Amino acid sequence: MNKQLILSPSALSCDFSHLGDDVRRAEEAGVEYLHLDVMDGVFVPNISFGPCVISSLRGASGLVFDVHLMITDPIRYIPQFIKAGADIITIHVEATDDPAAALRAIRDAGVRCCISIKPATPTETILPYLSMLDMVLVMSVEPGFGGQKFMPDTLEHVRKLVRLRSELGLDYDIEIDGGINRDNIKQAVDAGVNVVVAGSAIFGKPDIAEAVRELREAAV
Ligand code: DX5
Ligand code: ZN
């Protein structure tokens, strides 16, 4: 199966004093998604931003909003993120006792649902949910911070998910998040990823358009 590459730059690497301008630049450079990392200081040892920032950006951008919830018991806040303008919502399988209920809450609202696994979580943990999903997010760093080093072993999750997708006759996208840059993007794409998050490699660069171009070139 050959899915087209989708870039999802992570706003976490923006200078928040000109967040809107950076997002506009990425949109003009032709990225498809905007990755929005929500952290609660409990599920991960960091705090980022919540629905009000997403809702403000919604008025300024036509990108697909790819909201990555790194929060405990995500079902509590799903309605707020939907109202804020999320197009895709990712929850972590490790963050809740009832992932299926959270996924249903997302899907029933007409929003695309996705589940994420941390590097050390066995791929099999998400087997029961695969048929409900629009996308699976494989973390290629420990969640919590931008700018970390890519963990190549996490591509094993990707390969397993590709196999499972064809064995089960499913069609979910596979997204990778953490430490992706022009030196390793091709490895990830070759393993079977079709949605790529990049924070430092896009918003961390002085020329966003050039960074987007370089990543796309490096992916083939
Ligand atoms: C980490 C976040 C990532 C991060 C990616 O917890 O989920 O989305 O911002 O940033 P880079 O690409 O710099 O690793
Ligand atoms: Zn993320």
Side-chain angles (χ1 to χ4, degrees):
M1 185 179 326
N2 256 341
K3 292 181 177 243
Q4 195 131 27
L5 177 65
I6 289 170
L7 288 180
S8 190
S10 168
L12 197 62
S13 295
C14 288
D15 176 340
F16 288 170
S17 70
H18 43 74
L19 181 57
D21 287 341
D22 281 4
V23 169
R24 205 166 305 120
R25 267 188 212 112
E27 192 162 359
E28 283 165 9
V31 303
E32 292 84 0
Y33 291 1
L34 178 67
H35 189 79
L36 294 151
D37 287 304
V38 177
M39 303 178 182
D40 65 353
V42 178
F43 181 69
V44 288
N46 196 7
I47 297 176
S48 57
F49 49 77
C52 60
V53 170
I54 295 174
S55 162
S56 299
L57 280 173
R58 187 68 290 178
S61 174
L63 290 171
V64 171
F65 278 13
D66 169 27
V67 175
H68 178 190
L69 297 182
M70 285 164 275
I71 67 176
T72 298
D73 286 334
I75 199 163
R76 296 175 299 151
Y77 288 99
I78 282 167
Q80 289 190 43
F81 286 102
I82 290 170
K83 190 155 170 260
D87 296 294
I88 304 170
I89 296 183
T90 298
I91 59 153
H92 268 266
V93 70
E94 308 89 351
T96 167
D97 293 335
D98 194 353
L103 294 168
R104 268 196 303 274
I106 299 167
R107 223 172 52 169
D108 289 352
V111 169
R112 284 184 257 169
C113 68
C114 173
I115 206 160
S116 181
I117 44 173
K118 299 203 278 185
T121 301
T123 324
E124 290 67 31
T125 319
I126 59 171
L127 253 179
Y129 315 108
L130 289 181
S131 65
M132 305 177 69
L133 299 173
D134 296 291
M135 184 163 84
V136 179
L137 168 54
V138 173
M139 286 306 304
S140 41
V141 298
E142 285 302 330
F145 300 90
Q148 302 181 75
K149 199 169 174 303
F150 173 67
M151 299 164 68
D153 289 354
T154 57
L155 292 180
E156 207 34 58
H157 289 303
V158 174
R159 293 187 193 101
K160 276 193 203 162
L161 288 163
V162 169
R163 275 201 301 277
L164 285 164
R165 184 172 59 193
S166 84
E167 281 167 22
L168 301 170
L170 299 172
D171 190 39
Y172 49 78
D173 288 336
I174 305 176
E175 179 174 47
I176 196 149
D177 182 8
I180 297 291
N181 57 39
R182 57 189 209 199
D183 299 326
N184 55 30
I185 189 169
K186 188 167 177 353
Q187 263 183 78
V189 168
D190 287 349
V193 156
N194 70 300
V195 184
V196 171
V197 177
S200 345
I202 294 183
F203 286 126
K205 300 283 182 187
D207 187 336
I208 290 171
E210 189 182 295
V212 167
R213 227 177 4 255
E214 280 180 2
L215 269 183
R216 281 205 201 278
E217 280 168 17
V220 288

